[in-house]
Amino acid sequence: MRIDEHPILKFERGKQIQFVCDGKPIEAFEGETIAAALHAAGIKTLSHSVKEGRPRGFFCAIGKCSSCMMQVNGVPNVKTCMVLAEQDMEVTSQTGWGKLGQVDARQDYNRKKIPVIETEIAIVGAGPAGLSAALYASRFGAKCMVFEENTQVGGQLIKQTHMFFGSKDHHAKVRGIDIGQKLIDGLNENVQVLTGTPVVGYYPDKELAVIKDRRLTIIKAEKVIVATGASENMLSFPNNDLPGVYGAGAVQTLMNVSGILPGKNMLMIGAGNIGVIVAYQLLQAGVKVEAVLEALPTIGAYQVHASKLRRCGIPILTRHTIKRAFGDGKVEGATIVELDDNWQEIPGTERDVQVDTICLSVGLKPTTEIFEMAGCTMAVIPELGGEIPVRGHNMMTSVDGVYVAGDASSIEEASSAMLEGRMAGLDAVEKLKGVSEEISKEKQHVKDSLDELRAGPFGEKIRQGEAKLEEACK
Amino acid sequence: MSDYLKNGYLTLEDISPPDMERLEKGPVAVIECVQEIPCNPCSDSCHRGAITMKTSINDRPDIDYKLCNGCGICVANCPGLAIFLIDQSYSETEALVGLPYEFLPLPEAGEKVMLLSRQGEVCGEGVVQKVRNTRAMDRTPIVFISMRKDLAMTVRFFRR
């Protein structure tokens, strides 16, 4: 299941190690997550559901969905998609909630003993938005701490093997993976990036609760920039919880980060840019793509992306959807069906496809818990992905000094996420260090650049959403 | 306009290829990018100024076939892999078509391949003449395939 040769990527694997899962030895490589190593060993079922005891595999592979939780070295509810495999680790599949061990609550939660760290700008999330915020805020002298719950920096950029669109200013024609590296390389000594360090709470006056080295730590910041990204939407159909139904991002994580094939043959649901791009990446990795289904009458992806796939002979079926998945304990196939003008299934058009993996690419939802904890005014704007914090052009929310950037602000391309992060970073540093001509010029440039990206017909939805957001600000 | 929004592929009526006179003069780039998407590396990369965008990066690329000499720099720079090289002057009977190809293994010169159309249908057989794959092309090699002259505007991919 491991990919040895890839047209774009080189997989440099760490030392070979071995751990135990449910009594069976599992071969893994250092630097690989537990879930990835298990997948490579052919183990897709990680737990069983609470009520019905149904088998569960992972869905998102970036720590957002909780369906990969297992017991690791006696600790229950460990998200195995985010924790690296270690030599002699003991992993047990979990049924239901998992049993907590004994914890001396008084000792662990004595507030006086909780370490406190101060910084000027705390940034939540080291994806394109968070890193860009750090890059520009630090350039103008602000001390930044970036908290990333994953073990790697770069967010979703680290799995984007395709070249980006836009102009030079948006890193056009550079592959996503290399853009991530450019951002990381550009950080100066004012920035400290902490990986494997999730932010779990927000307290008044810009205090963040983070889990650092397995301990609760309080971060006191003057400005907070929240770039938590988004999680993938689920689609409802019978057996959508079978192991082998993955989000498109999870498929990318497995194949482009861990170098592990998600399956042998795939059905892709959703012909937006992500669905079509990931389907193409699957072909590059050597996976057979049965078809891409799209419930809408037209393909949402850029024509150039769709054409790339079509000339390889992969069908994109518009007005088609998945009726059900089937399989004994794992995906073995799917029934697909054609839809009429009113989105109703056309009887008699059902047919079965034999696939071992179903990939869902049906939209994203902003990750907004921190804004709600911070008391930010929220608004529901479907064009921007659903519930989001209300914010101005400078990316500041309704809570003074708390900013949003990237997919947490609106579901868009990584290019816009980088610009939004840059804007948030610039505004935060301007408020900390004082107005300068240079910063004002930069901010204007970022605004113009964002407007330019959103100016075409594909930016229409975002422009409508932005207009609604402006209304909400009033 | 064809039904590309429904089925994902373009047809000849969607694009404006060079005329026969230009095609017979030698290699030229054919851009198959019909939507207004925010993207301009093709015009940015062209040393001869042959590819321009009218006012913004959301415009469709406009190519001046008189200025284009078919050098192929834009092919590897196009994030949409939507630019192809056509050389109808290759020989008496054959054209040479350059296709961006991001798959492994790369074919070798002399290899016979099945030619595929924009919709992935087999439409003939061709012979790989060379593979251009420099560092500057950043992992988007161009595979040059000789084929019957009449296939040059139909073939956009191949199978080994």
Side-chain angles (χ1 to χ4, degrees), chain A residues 5-9 161-168 170 172-175 177-178 280 283-285 297-308 310-314 316-319 451-458, chain B residues 4-10 32-41 44-45 55-58 75-82 84 100-105 116-121 136-140 156-159:
Chain A
E5 281 209 305
H6 192 281
I8 311 296
L9 299 164
T161 51
H162 60 283
M163 293 180 265
F164 274 40
F165 288 76
S167 68
K168 239 184 203 158
H170 315 114
K173 80 162 174 138
V174 182
R175 297 179 191 278
I177 34 173
D178 301 327
Y280 188 75
L283 295 179
Q284 289 180 301
T298 54
I299 295 166
Y302 292 164
Q303 164 261 321
V304 290
H305 282 315
S307 295
K308 259 161 60 179
R310 289 296 281 120
R311 60 183 184 252
C312 296
I314 309 303
I316 302 177
L317 306 174
T318 47
R319 286 185 203 267
D451 288 345
E452 189 182 32
L453 268 185
R454 294 166 175 164
F458 280 87
Chain B
Y4 70 84
L5 283 176
K6 220 172 89 187
N7 51 34
Y9 61 86
L10 298 178
E32 305 198 354
C33 171
V34 301
Q35 290 173 323
E36 293 172 13
I37 55 178
C39 190
N40 76 352
D44 220 32
S45 65
T55 51
S56 99
I57 62 165
N58 283 285
V75 177
N77 272 282
C78 170
L81 306 187
F84 309 90
Y101 188 72
E102 293 184 336
F103 289 89
L104 284 182
L116 301 180
S117 67
R118 292 182 181 84
Q119 59 192 103
E121 283 174 352
M137 291 163 82
D138 188 25
R139 293 160 284 178
T140 306
R156 287 300 172 261
F157 204 61
F158 66 92
R159 199 161 65 205

Side-chain angles (χ1 to χ4, degrees), chain B residues 90-101:
Chain B
Y90 180 64
S91 81
E92 276 298 308
T93 52
E94 288 191 311
L96 189 69
V97 175
L99 306 169
Y101 188 72

